[in-house]
Amino acid sequence: MNLIEGLTSGLGGGFWFLLILTGILLDWLIGDPAWLPHPIVGMGKTIGFLNKKLNRGNHRKAKGFLLLFLMLALTAFAVFALQWICLKIHIVLYIIFNLYLIVTSLAAKTLAVEVKKVMTALKGGDIEVSRTQVGYLVGRDTSALKEKEIIRATVETTAENTIDGVLAPIFYLLIGALIPIPWLNPAMLVMLYKATNTLDSMVGYVQEPYKDFGYASAKFDDIINFIPARIGSLFMLVAGMFLGYPFNDACRIFKRDRLKHKSPNSAHPESVVAGLLGIQLGGTNQYFGETLEKPTIGEAKTPLEILDIRETITIMYGSEVVVMVVSTIIAILMLSI
């Protein structure tokens, strides 16, 4: 059986949808075990290597476009080649490999675990440990953050990563299940998304030495997150309604503050969380020694509390459940036609 036959003979949208559901469940149960090699780690090492080679001298913006092209091309080649090899060996190995890619593309469990480390340190009164833990999650300088600032940074990154690490990957997995192009399957599409997302997290900054070099990666990440950020934020609102948060207030804050960010996408999930929890996010942050002024998002009806971190995790999981319930209903309807 060749690759095309394997992808088109019984491995259609229904098969991929079941594999996506299985991947989401496995992510909830096991997350990313430390013993399991992670494709994002490989992407990070490749980006780091290319950054050292390309991010110097003149024409850095052009070199940044080259970096983006190389990473997408290398990712596509690696996924296609490994899928082909696995299918040549056995169809079961092909299924397991794609399930592995799907699970590692999702970050709900890992994000929850890492965020809870900040929360635990804050509850224990260990401000230094909480600064260190939140520093692993955000790009800003955390060395002098106070408790409220640590909470704000943690809530903001959890809200943003509800899109980047959970809902957007699911979006591209589902799109991949619908595309009638065999090689552009869900695993391929989500890995291309993760490559772009990893590029943005490593070089997509407006500060030097990434201002020009990271331009292409940052802009492409904005483009591919444009639709998921908006659709995902609506699912977060619906999840908040079912979880008993003030839905009307959240809709009002979302409508008013969803564009209050230099990024065209980040304020969408942040405004949802701010509205649901009745808190204020945004403001001044330090990045690479530079002060960056940001508009505030939401209204400080209640002061920031450690509990807000846990509530944001709850919203993340709730929105993922809503997405999958809606997707399952649509899939059943489509398969029954």
Side-chain angles (χ1 to χ4, degrees):
M1 180 184 296
N2 61 40
L3 182 60
I4 302 302
E5 291 173 341
L7 290 170
T8 56
S9 300
L11 300 187
F15 160 80
W16 281 108
F17 186 75
L18 289 175
L19 209 61
I20 293 166
L21 280 178
T22 304
I24 290 172
L25 291 174
L26 285 174
D27 177 57
W28 286 351
L29 291 172
I30 64 174
D32 296 320
W35 54 266
L36 187 66
H38 204 292
I40 310 304
V41 175
M43 290 177 185
K45 290 181 178 179
T46 304
I47 293 167
F49 172 79
L50 292 173
N51 177 50
K52 290 180 180 178
K53 297 295 182 181
L54 297 174
N55 192 11
R56 57 188 179 184
N58 299 321
H59 310 296
R60 295 199 187 189
K61 185 172 285 189
K63 291 176 180 177
F65 277 93
L66 176 61
L67 171 70
L68 175 62
F69 171 79
L70 287 173
M71 276 306 302
L72 293 178
L74 287 170
T75 300
F77 174 78
V79 173
F80 184 89
L82 290 171
Q83 284 181 333
W84 185 82
I85 291 170
C86 289
L87 189 58
K88 280 290 185 181
I89 296 173
H90 201 283
I91 187 64
V92 173
L93 184 60
Y94 174 81
I95 292 172
I96 292 173
F97 175 68
N98 283 294
L99 183 59
Y100 158 78
L101 292 181
I102 290 170
V103 174
T104 54
S105 74
L106 300 168
K109 177 69 176 289
T110 299
L111 179 61
V113 169
E114 295 304 314
V115 165
K116 285 178 181 177
K117 290 178 182 179
V118 180
M119 187 169 62
T120 301
L122 286 171
K123 284 182 176 179
D126 197 330
I127 195 73
E128 290 299 329
V129 171
S130 62
R131 285 170 178 164
T132 301
Q133 291 298 335
V134 76
Y136 296 141
L137 302 172
V138 300
R140 72 192 68 171
D141 181 8
T142 63
S143 61
L145 293 185
K146 298 177 182 178
E147 180 179 292
K148 299 294 184 185
E149 293 172 321
I150 293 172
I151 295 171
R152 175 167 66 85
T154 307
V155 169
E156 287 173 354
T157 194
T158 305
E160 288 185 40
N161 279 290
T162 296
I163 301 296
D164 294 353
V166 182
L167 301 185
I170 293 175
F171 173 82
Y172 281 106
L173 285 167
L174 294 173
I175 291 296
L178 298 175
I179 295 177
I181 303 174
W183 65 269
L184 200 58
N185 52 62
M188 173 69 79
L189 207 58
V190 80
M191 283 296 109
L192 291 173
Y193 170 79
K194 297 303 290 188
T196 305
N197 203 234
T198 307
L199 276 166
D200 181 61
S201 68
M202 293 183 67
V203 302
Y205 297 97
V206 296
Q207 295 79 23
E208 295 296 352
Y210 302 111
K211 184 177 180 180
D212 290 331
F213 186 67
Y215 175 85
S217 297
K219 292 302 179 185
F220 191 62
D221 185 75
D222 287 343
I223 292 170
I224 64 172
N225 272 310
F226 190 86
I227 294 175
R230 284 147 184 80
I231 295 177
S233 295
L234 295 178
F235 279 114
M236 291 171 71
L237 280 169
V238 173
M241 178 183 68
F242 283 115
L243 290 168
Y245 295 105
F247 178 73
N248 290 335
D249 280 351
C251 288
R252 179 176 59 83
I253 296 299
F254 172 67
K255 183 178 180 181
R256 188 191 72 188
D257 294 348
R258 70 187 188 280
L259 299 177
K260 286 187 176 181
H261 203 287
K262 288 187 175 181
S263 162
N265 304 318
S266 296
H268 282 71
E270 288 184 15
S271 61
V272 171
V273 169
L276 291 173
L277 301 184
I279 58 177
Q280 189 172 81
L281 302 174
T284 304
N285 298 311
Q286 293 288 326
Y287 291 87
F288 301 103
E290 295 182 22
T291 300
L292 188 62
E293 297 283 348
K294 295 182 179 181
T296 56
I297 296 171
E299 298 169 353
K301 293 184 176 180
T302 59
L304 285 163
E305 299 177 351
I306 298 173
L307 180 63
D308 291 324
I309 298 174
R310 189 176 71 186
E311 298 297 316
T312 309
I313 296 172
T314 301
I315 294 168
M316 175 192 71
Y317 276 119
S319 61
E320 191 174 15
V321 170
V322 172
V323 168
M324 292 320 301
V325 169
V326 172
S327 300
T328 300
I329 293 171
I330 294 174
I332 291 173
L333 292 173
M334 290 180 65
L335 291 172
S336 63
I337 296 175

